[in-house]
Amino acid sequence: MSLKFAEAQRIKNLPPYLFARIEKLIDEKREAGVDIISLGIGDPDMPTPDHIIQELQKEAANPANHQYPTSVGMPAYRQAVARWYARRFGVDLDPAREIVTLIGSKEGIAHISWCYLNPGDTVLVTDPGYPVYAGGAILAGAEPYYLPLLRENGFLPDLSAVPEEVARRAKMLFINYPNNPTGAVAGEKFFREVIDFARQYNVLVCHDAAYSEVAYDGYKPPSFLQFPGAKEVGIEFHSVSKIYNMTGWRIGWAAGHPDVVEALGRFKSNVDSGQFQAIQYAAIKGLTGPQDAVQQMQRVYQERRDILVEALNDMGWRLEKPKATFYVWAPVPAGHTSESFAELVLDKAGVVITPGTGYGKNGAGYFRVALTVPKERMLEALNRMKKNIGSVKF
Ligand SMILES: *Cc1c(COP(=O)(O)O)cnc(C)c1O
């Protein structure tokens, strides 16, 4: 029986789910007993460090933490974030006015659009990109204008190519470096251009820094907020998810312009009651405690990255090793689309890779693999690809 209540237009406007076909194929393979190896999921496979888990256990037992927390987060948590920013980036933040706690950065990324976009407004979104930027904006009734991320531009958006009338009417810009899905990184020159653009056109910059600690070969990605004028035009989203293998814990933050932080906090006070205080204490432990687990994580991903890139290059790719993120973004061989290649790899090797089109139109011709599987499984996946697909041409 069909439901007689129509969905709201904002739900109908969300883009269709793309991977139905591939997921059906995965299910069929699994049913047929194939040992599927997924390189598709960007979710750390390593556990949260012990000292963080122990802090949760201790604080979960404290009745003081059993009541409603505040929507914007405990002062102690926001202070820990401020100290971490000072230590890591040399950025000075006022914990009371310039930081708001989030239930994972995804929550804030989706809700910031509700704070600043009216129906019909234009928002600049990079393509390919994390789907939540456009999703949140569409739910708020706004219209994303997609900025292509092209290999020839190092997967940075070319702001000088944004048509004048689009730049004038745009209210927000979402960017994300180190970047999911391309693995690209951005430096001072790019962030200064972003700040100039935001000033010139009065655009609110939303920078997603989720991967700032997932970097290799000694590279330390910057924060958007460390560049002059950034705090006047924008906000940065971040979380402990990828720093301490805490994606399931759901705790992050937004930091930057106090008016934007206040608006997000006001929005949240109407839709959620914040994150469990015991989880806030655990995140404080992560941010203020020993950081050797972070270096260990970087070493593990870096080894997997080297194995993966070298194996693909042996098969005919000519990939450079990404400096950050746990993704490798690679072109599909000649004669393939993103989908046909993902289907081929699944069919012949029992390996799941993500078609680039899942991240936007400009992801066409690419696929993404995640480094979040143990080395042995990754080697097995690569051996199967080598054996059953062989060498590739472009
Ligand atoms: C994983 C990820 C995040 C982090 O999301 P949380 O909600 O903080 O877990 C944010 N942005 C991007 C692009 C990501 O890939």
Side-chain angles (χ1 to χ4, degrees):
M1 209 175 67
S2 67
L3 191 64
K4 66 181 189 200
F5 307 101
E7 285 178 351
Q9 195 57 44
R10 70 179 71 87
I11 289 284
K12 289 188 187 160
N13 287 348
L14 287 171
Y17 187 62
L18 274 175
F19 301 133
R21 213 179 120 93
I22 289 177
E23 272 178 9
K24 189 159 163 271
L25 207 59
I26 295 172
D27 286 345
E28 284 169 15
K29 291 263 167 207
R30 283 223 167 96
E31 256 163 57
V34 177
D35 167 32
I36 300 276
I37 303 175
S38 180
L39 305 180
I41 303 162
D43 192 347
D45 59 310
M46 290 175 273
T48 305
D50 275 339
H51 64 286
I52 298 176
I53 297 172
Q54 280 158 16
E55 184 72 2
L56 173 75
Q57 287 169 334
K58 180 173 119 229
E59 293 297 337
N62 181 353
N65 294 327
H66 295 173
Q67 293 180 295
Y68 284 121
T70 60
S71 303
V72 297
M74 286 160 37
Y77 173 76
R78 287 178 285 149
Q79 280 155 14
V81 171
R83 279 201 300 276
W84 186 79
Y85 259 73
R87 200 178 64 228
R88 171 64 177 84
F89 301 114
V91 169
D92 192 25
L93 292 167
D94 173 356
R97 295 168 60 242
E98 296 178 328
I99 298 170
V100 58
T101 309
L102 299 171
I103 305 172
S105 56
K106 183 178 186 178
E107 180 258 307
I109 291 167
H111 286 152
I112 191 72
S113 285
W114 289 78
C115 300
Y116 286 94
L117 298 175
N118 289 314
D121 280 350
T122 299
V123 50
L124 304 175
V125 177
T126 52
D127 171 4
Y130 185 54
V132 186
Y133 313 134
I138 290 167
L139 286 170
E143 284 166 26
Y145 181 92
Y146 293 100
L147 307 182
L149 299 187
L150 307 174
R151 177 152 57 167
E152 57 263 37
N153 298 330
F155 297 110
L156 300 173
D158 180 359
L159 295 174
S160 67
V162 179
E164 182 72 18
E165 54 84 27
V166 174
R168 280 182 191 286
R169 68 168 200 265
K171 289 182 76 178
M172 288 168 72
L173 164 66
F174 282 98
I175 49 173
N176 161 224
Y177 292 95
N179 183 260
N180 175 8
T182 67
V185 297
E188 175 163 358
K189 179 169 172 288
F190 173 73
F191 285 118
R192 284 181 181 266
E193 279 167 22
V194 167
I195 293 164
D196 287 345
F197 178 87
R199 280 204 183 120
Q200 187 178 352
Y201 294 105
N202 210 12
V203 168
L204 171 64
V205 177
C206 297
H207 181 242
D208 178 353
Y211 293 95
S212 77
E213 307 314 295
V214 186
Y216 313 113
D217 308 319
Y219 173 65
K220 282 201 169 289
S223 159
F224 169 64
L225 298 178
Q226 74 191 54
F227 301 106
K231 220 195 275 179
E232 280 81 71
V233 297
I235 191 162
E236 182 158 86
F237 293 92
H238 210 320
S239 85
V240 294
S241 286
K242 313 287 163 60
I243 313 179
Y244 308 111
N245 306 325
M246 291 176 75
T247 50
W249 298 56
R250 313 311 307 135
I251 181 158
W253 64 85
H257 197 297
D259 292 354
V260 182
V261 165
E262 189 277 331
L264 199 48
R266 197 153 24 106
F267 181 93
K268 286 172 60 59
S269 69
N270 284 277
V271 302
D272 67 58
S273 299
Q275 181 54 283
F276 184 26
Q277 288 192 166
I279 289 180
Q280 295 187 53
Y281 280 116
I284 293 171
K285 203 54 152 188
L287 291 167
T288 60
Q291 302 296 308
D292 32 314
V294 179
Q295 280 140 36
Q296 174 60 18
M297 161 195 80
Q298 291 169 341
R299 277 195 294 273
V300 170
Y301 289 141
Q302 182 171 319
E303 187 191 14
R304 294 176 187 172
R305 174 200 69 168
D306 292 348
I307 290 170
L308 185 99
V309 170
E310 282 159 24
L312 290 179
N313 285 352
D314 271 352
M315 291 174 69
W317 272 273
R318 285 147 147 218
L319 303 171
E320 279 177 36
K321 292 175 180 172
K323 288 198 180 66
T325 77
F326 45 57
Y327 303 111
V328 173
W329 182 245
V332 297
H336 275 289
T337 64
S338 293
E339 287 80 9
S340 75
F341 188 62
E343 284 175 31
L344 177 85
V345 173
L346 180 59
D347 194 43
K348 297 263 194 244
V351 172
V352 178
I353 59 173
T354 316
T357 43
Y359 306 95
K361 200 160 58 80
N362 287 292
Y366 287 88
F367 64 95
R368 192 193 79 174
V369 289
L371 303 171
T372 48
V373 290
K375 179 170 127 185
E376 295 66 36
R377 290 294 275 170
M378 177 172 277
L379 283 167
E380 165 72 14
L382 290 164
N383 279 338
R384 289 194 210 163
M385 283 174 70
K386 204 171 252 180
K387 201 163 91 204
N388 301 320
I389 295 168
S391 60
V392 294
K393 295 215 159 29
F394 294 89

